[in-house]
Amino acid sequence: MKSKIDTWTARCYHHNDDNYCAWYIRIKKKATHNRWEITRFVKEHTCLVQIEQNKHRNLSSKFISMSISHLVANDPEIPISNIIQEVQVLHQNGCTYKLTWYARKFAIERIFGSWDTTFNILPKYLQALNNKFCSCRKWQTYTLPCSHVLAVCRENGSRTDAYVPEIYSRQTYIKTYQANFHPILSENFWRHVPFNLTFYPPNMKKERCRKQGKRFQGEMDYRNPDSPPRCGRCRMQGHNRKNCNNPGPSNV
C-alpha cells in the first residue's frame, strides 16, 4: 500500500509471490471538485484459488457465507462438514469448524433474517392468524388459507387444517349427502291430471322507437361539427335530402 497527499494505491498481499494476484486499486483526489475518486480497480482476487494452505487471510466467515448462500437457502440445517467440503472445492482452502459455523449463521441471517428480528415480528403473525386476516386479501375472499398462512404455520409448527372453515371438512361433506335422493321416474309413471297445461311464449311487444345499437362507438362514429352537412340521396355536401334537386343513384 502506498499513499500520498492526493493519491492512494493498494495491491494484494501476494502480488510479488509466485502465484501472482492482479487485485489492485488506485484512488486519487481530484482538484476540480476536491473529492476522492477511484481511477483504477481490479476486482477479482486470483490468489484465492491458487494458494493452497489451511487458512487464507481473505477466507473469512462473511466471505464463506456469500459462497454457501445457495446451500443454506435449500437447507438451513446443512451439516458443517458438508460446508467445509464445499469450501475446499470452491476455494481450494480448508477452514475450521468455528469459522464455518459462523459462516452458516451469517448466511441464515442474510436470507431468512436474524433470530431477534424473527422473534419480534412473530406476535404480529400470530395475531393475524387468530383474526384470520392477511394483507393479500385471499384468505378473506376465498375463506381458505393463503400461501402466507401456510408459511407461518410451517415455521411455528401449527396445523393448517385448523384455519380451514368447517364447511370444507370431511364431516360436513358426509352430512351433505347423508339424506336419500329419489330420482325422477319416466313419463310413463306420471300421474294424469284432468286438465291440459299449455304454455305460450311471453308477449314481447316491440317498442315504437329506434333500436339502440350495442356496439361501442369510436372516433369514426362521431361527425366533425365544423364539416358541412352531406345529402343522404346524392351524397353531395351543402344540402340535405329534403331540398335535393340532383338525380338519385337510380337515375344516374
Side-chain angles (χ1 to χ4, degrees):
M1 183 179 68
K2 297 180 181 180
S3 62
K4 297 181 181 180
I5 298 177
D6 58 348
T7 307
W8 185 86
T9 59
R11 292 182 180 273
C12 181
Y13 180 78
H14 301 282
H15 73 282
N16 290 327
D17 297 348
D18 296 335
N19 298 320
Y20 175 75
C21 182
W23 186 88
Y24 177 78
I25 186 172
R26 184 174 185 270
I27 304 175
K28 186 175 180 60
K29 188 176 183 180
K30 296 293 184 179
T32 55
H33 47 72
N34 197 21
R35 293 182 180 178
W36 292 89
E37 181 178 341
I38 298 176
T39 58
R40 185 181 177 188
F41 179 51
V42 180
K43 184 178 180 181
E44 297 296 334
H45 269 280
T46 57
C47 61
L48 287 179
V49 296
Q50 296 293 337
I51 301 176
E52 295 184 0
Q53 54 184 355
N54 189 30
K55 183 179 180 183
H56 195 277
R57 60 182 299 173
N58 291 333
L59 205 60
S60 61
S61 58
K62 292 186 178 180
F63 181 84
I64 297 174
S65 65
M66 298 176 62
S67 303
I68 63 173
S69 297
H70 62 285
L71 300 177
V72 177
N74 296 331
D75 184 13
E77 299 181 357
I78 181 172
I80 301 298
S81 58
N82 295 353
I83 299 178
I84 295 177
Q85 295 177 3
E86 184 69 17
V87 173
Q88 182 68 31
V89 173
L90 292 177
H91 305 293
Q92 301 297 323
N93 281 274
C95 54
T96 61
Y97 184 92
K98 181 179 179 181
L99 188 68
T100 310
W101 188 89
Y102 277 104
R104 186 181 67 175
K105 177 177 178 294
F106 291 148
I108 292 175
E109 291 179 356
R110 185 185 298 108
I111 298 172
F112 304 101
S114 62
W115 295 107
D116 296 336
T117 304
T118 306
F119 184 79
N120 293 332
I121 64 176
L122 184 59
K124 176 182 177 182
Y125 291 133
L126 294 178
Q127 184 178 2
L129 288 177
N130 295 331
N131 298 334
K132 295 184 178 181
F133 176 83
C134 186
S135 58
C136 69
R137 302 290 181 179
K138 292 183 179 180
W139 196 5
Q140 298 87 288
T141 303
Y142 303 107
T143 66
L144 290 174
C146 59
S147 59
H148 308 98
V149 178
L150 300 180
V152 174
C153 292
R154 183 186 62 183
E155 292 298 329
N156 60 12
S158 59
R159 296 172 57 90
T160 56
D161 55 356
Y163 302 99
V164 179
E166 189 178 357
I167 58 175
Y168 298 107
S169 62
R170 182 172 176 268
Q171 291 76 11
T172 305
Y173 182 82
I174 295 175
K175 291 180 181 180
T176 303
Y177 295 95
Q178 191 175 9
N180 297 327
F181 292 89
H182 301 283
I184 299 177
L185 301 178
S186 175
E187 295 183 2
N188 299 329
F189 298 93
W190 290 5
R191 185 177 59 181
H192 295 280
V193 294
F195 54 87
N196 295 327
L197 297 177
T198 305
F199 298 96
Y200 297 97
N203 186 14
M204 302 294 293
K205 185 178 180 181
K206 188 177 180 180
E207 299 180 359
R208 300 183 60 181
C209 63
R210 186 174 181 178
K211 186 178 180 180
Q212 299 293 332
K214 297 182 179 179
R215 182 175 62 85
F216 291 100
Q217 295 184 356
E219 296 180 357
M220 59 179 297
D221 298 312
Y222 297 98
R223 186 176 64 86
N224 189 3
D226 298 333
S227 62
R230 184 184 296 272
C231 179
R233 186 168 175 269
C234 65
R235 310 304 299 173
M236 300 296 292
Q237 295 183 355
H239 63 279
N240 53 22
R241 182 187 291 270
K242 292 182 180 180
N243 51 12
C244 180
N245 298 324
N246 298 328
S250 60
N251 298 330
V252 177

